[in-house]
Amino acid sequence: MIRNLINPYKFQQPISIKETSSHQLKKFLELMYILRKTEQKLAFEREKGFIGGPVHLSVGQEAISVGISKNLKKTDRVFGNHRSHSHLLSLNPNFYKLFAEILGKKTGFSKGMGGSMHLYDKTHGFYGSTPIVAGTVALAVGAAIAAKKSNLKDISVSYLGDGAIEEGVVHESFNLAKMLKLPILFVIENNLFASHMHISSRQPNEFSSRFADANRLPFKLLDGNNVVSVYENSKKIINKIRNGSGPAILELITFRWYGHVDWREDIDVGIKRSKNDIQHWKKRDPIKRLSQSMINSKLWSLKKEKDLNDKIDLEIKIAWDKARKDPFPSINSINKHVYSKD
């Protein structure tokens, strides 16, 4: 069963939705479509040359951030990585501000100073992302210390990939979080690739949650393309953390449709990344699996799905056109946001 999690030919069927309300399911579906279409727009515009810098996309991984974010509060502290558009948009689906940021406009999340990989939206609980692999993991631990001292049952969330597990600071963070019994959830998005290299060429075992044992951390290993499972399991874990149980690890097996960066599939540069595998992972699409389950249960229809897609497509077009026309930051603002006024 566990080995099947990394098999692209498995888990392609519709998911179980019996215990989840139709309202919640529709929210999941809409938000996943927003994330998917936002990033597909970025891929298209990057290929056409309208985006100057690289974009690291998480198309195919939408169920993870959507399922987890629905269990978070605005006062929780969430930290991302170099592939964090979905982490941010799951908390605040303002794709206009994301477009503006990636285009370097002053109306963006980071006032046009950060681009795709330096995102920030503290108002909605997103404390930052960075291109440095594992660069925010220790920061998330620090935020968990602050959360514990505030005694408000807030938690910290650290998103990291299977490649980040190979950084020493991650293991130091696991250890410190355990020893101080901190309110933090480490979310390992295991998409099997660190940049272009498959995990089987880097590690003796494909599952990163095995490191939980070394630090006596509770963990769950799940299908990351099942949004209901991610939501239900993370809800239980997060509630325990809020009530003082200490840190935990949630490892979610998934797959990114695009390559390491931009619009390419990277089948020519990746070890064990084949066209055939990509096509089979696409059959494990978290959006299609949820949509089909809802249709089978008479909670959804192809007509409603088309209407939703048309609505989001129009909103994305309007947002992109608006962001392109927005002004760049003034030359005088270059040093303005280097240091916090706090």
Side-chain angles (χ1 to χ4, degrees), residues 24-51:
Q24 187 68 278
L25 293 171
K26 290 171 185 175
K27 289 291 185 184
F28 289 156
L29 189 63
E30 180 176 14
L31 187 50
M32 285 198 293
Y33 262 124
I34 287 173
L35 303 188
R36 173 75 54 86
K37 288 177 173 292
T38 296
E39 291 210 304
Q40 287 177 331
K41 178 65 172 175
L42 292 173
F44 177 81
E45 299 295 344
R46 172 67 174 148
E47 184 177 10
K48 295 299 179 184
F50 290 110
I51 296 175

Side-chain angles (χ1 to χ4, degrees), residues 205-320:
N205 186 304
E206 288 90 347
F207 302 115
S208 301
S209 50
R210 70 186 190 278
F211 293 111
D213 291 336
N215 294 284
R216 297 186 177 178
L217 290 169
F219 75 92
K220 274 276 189 182
L221 173 63
L222 301 170
D223 173 13
N225 285 18
N226 181 336
V227 68
V228 172
S229 174
V230 173
Y231 170 73
E232 294 294 345
N233 281 279
S234 64
K235 182 178 183 178
K236 294 174 186 175
I237 295 169
I238 287 170
N239 285 342
K240 287 182 180 179
I241 295 172
R242 288 198 197 283
N243 289 305
S245 69
I249 290 176
L250 182 57
E251 181 176 11
L252 300 158
I253 307 302
T254 186
F255 194 86
R256 48 175 162 81
W257 292 9
Y258 293 112
H260 172 58
V261 64
D262 297 335
W263 69 92
R264 308 171 192 88
E265 290 185 327
D266 282 357
I267 57 174
D268 56 334
V269 297
I271 301 172
K272 299 182 181 178
R273 184 174 170 90
S274 70
K275 190 80 172 178
N276 186 56
D277 280 353
I278 293 172
Q279 292 307 315
H280 279 90
W281 273 100
K282 286 184 176 181
K283 292 179 182 178
R284 199 159 149 180
D285 180 358
I287 294 178
K288 288 294 188 289
R289 290 172 73 194
L290 173 60
S291 173
Q292 191 59 56
S293 299
M294 293 169 66
I295 291 172
N296 293 348
S297 301
K298 311 298 183 187
L299 300 174
W300 196 240
S301 67
L302 293 176
K303 172 66 166 58
K304 289 179 180 178
E305 186 136 347
K306 182 181 183 304
D307 290 344
L308 176 61
N309 274 272
D310 290 345
K311 171 179 171 287
I312 296 173
D313 286 341
L314 178 60
E315 290 173 350
I316 283 178
K317 181 183 184 305
I318 292 171
W320 177 262

Side-chain angles (χ1 to χ4, degrees), residues 78-93:
V78 180
F79 292 80
N81 48 40
H82 60 287
R83 198 179 304 279
S84 274
H85 304 152
S86 60
H87 304 148
L88 171 57
L89 292 179
S90 291
L91 298 167
N92 175 18

